[in-house]
Amino acid sequence: MENMNLNTNINVMPRIGEKAPEFTAVTTQGTIHFPSDFKGKWKILFSHPADFTPVCTSEFMTFAKMAQEFEALNCQLVGLSVDGIHSHIAWLRTIKEKIDFRGMSNMEVKFPLIEDIKMEVAGKYGMIQPGESTTSAVRAVFFIDQNDVIRTIMYYPLSLGRNFEEIKRVLVGLQTCDAFGVALPADWKPGVEVIVPPAGSCGVAKERMENKSGELHCYDWFFCTRDLAKEEVEEKLNVKF
């Protein structure tokens, strides 16, 4: 799918449920072919406005700190900005060697950071939004599943750092929905009750009507939940929370 409107030159971001746009790019970890190089993995592709900026530095340090947690969830992190590769390398070296922030120090960023000087990848993913900036990518986050389908999109302005616990929660939530065929209520975390799909879907209509097992808690005909232990989620996702 072409994500550039040729008549208006406005970038159109991909939509949830669509295949992630493909690209080849130079990164701090070598050339990558996205998303094909990470087939079978979940991917989080995220953009930041610029190297050597304070909000971005705090975010990259946090991602580096949590990298193993995302790896345990079979998720590949891939960063992007419109800066060049030499700027990326110098910035990441500065983070590792000089920055001590909130107890985070000596943080080494091992996931790829894409060089996108021509803004080609940012254009494909609608990361350049002229109302915010014509030369920097906003703080976008794309969650892409094992089949290379976009599942969730988050956008933040340049001035607001992201909530990385929420990013992890979304990833865990998406994997839980897939693994158990459920939906998740507001503020869900592993161990909290889950929503049973509406009657007529996923073969649960009869179970809803009879509810003989006592496992369902129905607030009304359209809103039923069941318990899902944290241990069940951990076992299914093969990770500890």
PDB file of all heavy atoms in Angstrom, residues 116-135:
ATOM      1  N   ASP A 116      17.432   7.847   8.867  1.00  0.00           N
ATOM      2  CA  ASP A 116      16.337   8.189   7.949  1.00  0.00           C
ATOM      3  C   ASP A 116      16.439   9.652   7.530  1.00  0.00           C
ATOM      4  O   ASP A 116      15.473  10.415   7.641  1.00  0.00           O
ATOM      5  CB  ASP A 116      14.989   7.896   8.622  1.00  0.00           C
ATOM      6  CG  ASP A 116      13.828   7.861   7.628  1.00  0.00           C
ATOM      7  OD1 ASP A 116      14.064   7.539   6.445  1.00  0.00           O
ATOM      8  OD2 ASP A 116      12.699   8.173   8.041  1.00  0.00           O
ATOM      9  N   ILE A 117      17.605  10.019   7.022  1.00  0.00           N
ATOM     10  CA  ILE A 117      17.860  11.415   6.661  1.00  0.00           C
ATOM     11  C   ILE A 117      16.859  11.921   5.621  1.00  0.00           C
ATOM     12  O   ILE A 117      16.388  13.065   5.700  1.00  0.00           O
ATOM     13  CB  ILE A 117      19.300  11.561   6.118  1.00  0.00           C
ATOM     14  CG1 ILE A 117      20.324  11.225   7.205  1.00  0.00           C
ATOM     15  CG2 ILE A 117      19.537  12.984   5.612  1.00  0.00           C
ATOM     16  CD1 ILE A 117      21.743  11.204   6.719  1.00  0.00           C
ATOM     17  N   LYS A 118      16.510  11.084   4.670  1.00  0.00           N
ATOM     18  CA  LYS A 118      15.575  11.498   3.621  1.00  0.00           C
ATOM     19  C   LYS A 118      14.116  11.357   4.040  1.00  0.00           C
ATOM     20  O   LYS A 118      13.213  11.630   3.255  1.00  0.00           O
ATOM     21  CB  LYS A 118      15.831  10.685   2.345  1.00  0.00           C
ATOM     22  CG  LYS A 118      17.206  10.925   1.740  1.00  0.00           C
ATOM     23  CD  LYS A 118      17.394  10.114   0.463  1.00  0.00           C
ATOM     24  CE  LYS A 118      18.755  10.365  -0.152  1.00  0.00           C
ATOM     25  NZ  LYS A 118      18.962   9.544  -1.396  1.00  0.00           N
ATOM     26  N   MET A 119      13.885  10.918   5.249  1.00  0.00           N
ATOM     27  CA  MET A 119      12.544  10.782   5.825  1.00  0.00           C
ATOM     28  C   MET A 119      11.655   9.808   5.037  1.00  0.00           C
ATOM     29  O   MET A 119      10.434   9.927   5.028  1.00  0.00           O
ATOM     30  CB  MET A 119      11.868  12.143   5.964  1.00  0.00           C
ATOM     31  CG  MET A 119      12.609  13.091   6.879  1.00  0.00           C
ATOM     32  SD  MET A 119      11.746  14.645   7.236  1.00  0.00           S
ATOM     33  CE  MET A 119      11.970  15.499   5.669  1.00  0.00           C
ATOM     34  N   GLU A 120      12.300   8.843   4.384  1.00  0.00           N
ATOM     35  CA  GLU A 120      11.533   7.895   3.575  1.00  0.00           C
ATOM     36  C   GLU A 120      10.716   6.933   4.443  1.00  0.00           C
ATOM     37  O   GLU A 120       9.542   6.680   4.185  1.00  0.00           O
ATOM     38  CB  GLU A 120      12.468   7.123   2.651  1.00  0.00           C
ATOM     39  CG  GLU A 120      13.111   7.996   1.577  1.00  0.00           C
ATOM     40  CD  GLU A 120      14.144   7.242   0.754  1.00  0.00           C
ATOM     41  OE1 GLU A 120      14.485   6.098   1.124  1.00  0.00           O
ATOM     42  OE2 GLU A 120      14.607   7.802  -0.263  1.00  0.00           O
ATOM     43  N   VAL A 121      11.357   6.385   5.475  1.00  0.00           N
ATOM     44  CA  VAL A 121      10.631   5.475   6.362  1.00  0.00           C
ATOM     45  C   VAL A 121       9.598   6.251   7.170  1.00  0.00           C
ATOM     46  O   VAL A 121       8.449   5.811   7.328  1.00  0.00           O
ATOM     47  CB  VAL A 121      11.605   4.737   7.304  1.00  0.00           C
ATOM     48  CG1 VAL A 121      10.830   3.828   8.256  1.00  0.00           C
ATOM     49  CG2 VAL A 121      12.624   3.930   6.500  1.00  0.00           C
ATOM     50  N   ALA A 122      10.001   7.418   7.680  1.00  0.00           N
ATOM     51  CA  ALA A 122       9.058   8.252   8.424  1.00  0.00           C
ATOM     52  C   ALA A 122       7.839   8.591   7.570  1.00  0.00           C
ATOM     53  O   ALA A 122       6.710   8.642   8.077  1.00  0.00           O
ATOM     54  CB  ALA A 122       9.750   9.526   8.897  1.00  0.00           C
ATOM     55  N   GLY A 123       8.046   8.795   6.265  1.00  0.00           N
ATOM     56  CA  GLY A 123       6.930   9.065   5.368  1.00  0.00           C
ATOM     57  C   GLY A 123       6.008   7.875   5.217  1.00  0.00           C
ATOM     58  O   GLY A 123       4.779   8.015   5.231  1.00  0.00           O
ATOM     59  N   LYS A 124       6.588   6.694   5.084  1.00  0.00           N
ATOM     60  CA  LYS A 124       5.776   5.481   4.938  1.00  0.00           C
ATOM     61  C   LYS A 124       4.882   5.243   6.151  1.00  0.00           C
ATOM     62  O   LYS A 124       3.788   4.693   6.043  1.00  0.00           O
ATOM     63  CB  LYS A 124       6.687   4.259   4.747  1.00  0.00           C
ATOM     64  CG  LYS A 124       7.273   4.069   3.358  1.00  0.00           C
ATOM     65  CD  LYS A 124       8.201   2.867   3.361  1.00  0.00           C
ATOM     66  CE  LYS A 124       8.788   2.600   1.976  1.00  0.00           C
ATOM     67  NZ  LYS A 124       7.847   1.902   1.105  1.00  0.00           N
ATOM     68  N   TYR A 125       5.375   5.635   7.325  1.00  0.00           N
ATOM     69  CA  TYR A 125       4.647   5.372   8.564  1.00  0.00           C
ATOM     70  C   TYR A 125       3.942   6.609   9.129  1.00  0.00           C
ATOM     71  O   TYR A 125       3.445   6.572  10.248  1.00  0.00           O
ATOM     72  CB  TYR A 125       5.602   4.784   9.606  1.00  0.00           C
ATOM     73  CG  TYR A 125       5.846   3.303   9.394  1.00  0.00           C
ATOM     74  CD1 TYR A 125       6.775   2.847   8.464  1.00  0.00           C
ATOM     75  CD2 TYR A 125       5.126   2.353  10.107  1.00  0.00           C
ATOM     76  CE1 TYR A 125       6.990   1.491   8.257  1.00  0.00           C
ATOM     77  CE2 TYR A 125       5.330   0.996   9.908  1.00  0.00           C
ATOM     78  CZ  TYR A 125       6.268   0.576   8.992  1.00  0.00           C
ATOM     79  OH  TYR A 125       6.467  -0.782   8.783  1.00  0.00           O
ATOM     80  N   GLY A 126       3.886   7.692   8.350  1.00  0.00           N
ATOM     81  CA  GLY A 126       3.158   8.876   8.800  1.00  0.00           C
ATOM     82  C   GLY A 126       3.729   9.511  10.042  1.00  0.00           C
ATOM     83  O   GLY A 126       3.008  10.098  10.847  1.00  0.00           O
ATOM     84  N   MET A 127       5.050   9.437  10.202  1.00  0.00           N
ATOM     85  CA  MET A 127       5.686   9.954  11.413  1.00  0.00           C
ATOM     86  C   MET A 127       5.996  11.446  11.330  1.00  0.00           C
ATOM     87  O   MET A 127       6.254  12.083  12.346  1.00  0.00           O
ATOM     88  CB  MET A 127       6.982   9.183  11.689  1.00  0.00           C
ATOM     89  CG  MET A 127       6.760   7.718  12.024  1.00  0.00           C
ATOM     90  SD  MET A 127       8.322   6.813  12.027  1.00  0.00           S
ATOM     91  CE  MET A 127       7.791   5.199  12.644  1.00  0.00           C
ATOM     92  N   ILE A 128       5.988  12.006  10.122  1.00  0.00           N
ATOM     93  CA  ILE A 128       6.207  13.439   9.958  1.00  0.00           C
ATOM     94  C   ILE A 128       4.846  14.113   9.903  1.00  0.00           C
ATOM     95  O   ILE A 128       4.070  13.894   8.984  1.00  0.00           O
ATOM     96  CB  ILE A 128       7.003  13.748   8.678  1.00  0.00           C
ATOM     97  CG1 ILE A 128       8.335  12.990   8.674  1.00  0.00           C
ATOM     98  CG2 ILE A 128       7.229  15.252   8.546  1.00  0.00           C
ATOM     99  CD1 ILE A 128       9.279  13.367   9.787  1.00  0.00           C
ATOM    100  N   GLN A 129       4.570  14.933  10.896  1.00  0.00           N
ATOM    101  CA  GLN A 129       3.267  15.598  10.980  1.00  0.00           C
ATOM    102  C   GLN A 129       3.504  17.100  11.029  1.00  0.00           C
ATOM    103  O   GLN A 129       3.940  17.643  12.058  1.00  0.00           O
ATOM    104  CB  GLN A 129       2.507  15.089  12.202  1.00  0.00           C
ATOM    105  CG  GLN A 129       2.299  13.577  12.123  1.00  0.00           C
ATOM    106  CD  GLN A 129       1.250  13.049  13.068  1.00  0.00           C
ATOM    107  OE1 GLN A 129       0.569  13.797  13.755  1.00  0.00           O
ATOM    108  NE2 GLN A 129       1.105  11.737  13.076  1.00  0.00           N
ATOM    109  N   PRO A 130       3.245  17.796   9.905  1.00  0.00           N
ATOM    110  CA  PRO A 130       3.622  19.212   9.757  1.00  0.00           C
ATOM    111  C   PRO A 130       3.085  20.129  10.843  1.00  0.00           C
ATOM    112  O   PRO A 130       3.718  21.135  11.167  1.00  0.00           O
ATOM    113  CB  PRO A 130       3.051  19.574   8.383  1.00  0.00           C
ATOM    114  CG  PRO A 130       3.036  18.276   7.634  1.00  0.00           C
ATOM    115  CD  PRO A 130       2.696  17.237   8.667  1.00  0.00           C
ATOM    116  N   GLY A 131       1.938  19.801  11.413  1.00  0.00           N
ATOM    117  CA  GLY A 131       1.416  20.644  12.485  1.00  0.00           C
ATOM    118  C   GLY A 131       2.295  20.645  13.715  1.00  0.00           C
ATOM    119  O   GLY A 131       2.263  21.569  14.522  1.00  0.00           O
ATOM    120  N   GLU A 132       3.100  19.604  13.865  1.00  0.00           N
ATOM    121  CA  GLU A 132       4.030  19.494  14.992  1.00  0.00           C
ATOM    122  C   GLU A 132       5.443  19.872  14.568  1.00  0.00           C
ATOM    123  O   GLU A 132       6.138  20.614  15.242  1.00  0.00           O
ATOM    124  CB  GLU A 132       4.011  18.060  15.543  1.00  0.00           C
ATOM    125  CG  GLU A 132       4.886  17.817  16.748  1.00  0.00           C
ATOM    126  CD  GLU A 132       4.329  18.423  18.031  1.00  0.00           C
ATOM    127  OE1 GLU A 132       3.254  19.056  17.985  1.00  0.00           O
ATOM    128  OE2 GLU A 132       4.978  18.290  19.078  1.00  0.00           O
ATOM    129  N   SER A 133       5.895  19.336  13.415  1.00  0.00           N
ATOM    130  CA  SER A 133       7.216  19.665  12.886  1.00  0.00           C
ATOM    131  C   SER A 133       7.314  19.139  11.462  1.00  0.00           C
ATOM    132  O   SER A 133       6.817  18.058  11.161  1.00  0.00           O
ATOM    133  CB  SER A 133       8.312  19.033  13.740  1.00  0.00           C
ATOM    134  OG  SER A 133       9.582  19.214  13.132  1.00  0.00           O
ATOM    135  N   THR A 134       7.961  19.917  10.600  1.00  0.00           N
ATOM    136  CA  THR A 134       8.150  19.472   9.215  1.00  0.00           C
ATOM    137  C   THR A 134       9.487  18.777   9.012  1.00  0.00           C
ATOM    138  O   THR A 134       9.753  18.241   7.940  1.00  0.00           O
ATOM    139  CB  THR A 134       8.076  20.677   8.252  1.00  0.00           C
ATOM    140  OG1 THR A 134       9.081  21.630   8.635  1.00  0.00           O
ATOM    141  CG2 THR A 134       6.712  21.332   8.290  1.00  0.00           C
ATOM    142  N   THR A 135      10.331  18.764  10.050  1.00  0.00           N
ATOM    143  CA  THR A 135      11.676  18.201   9.896  1.00  0.00           C
ATOM    144  C   THR A 135      12.006  17.116  10.907  1.00  0.00           C
ATOM    145  O   THR A 135      13.070  16.520  10.828  1.00  0.00           O
ATOM    146  CB  THR A 135      12.743  19.311  10.015  1.00  0.00           C
ATOM    147  OG1 THR A 135      12.618  19.936  11.303  1.00  0.00           O
ATOM    148  CG2 THR A 135      12.564  20.350   8.927  1.00  0.00           C
TER     149      THR A 135
END
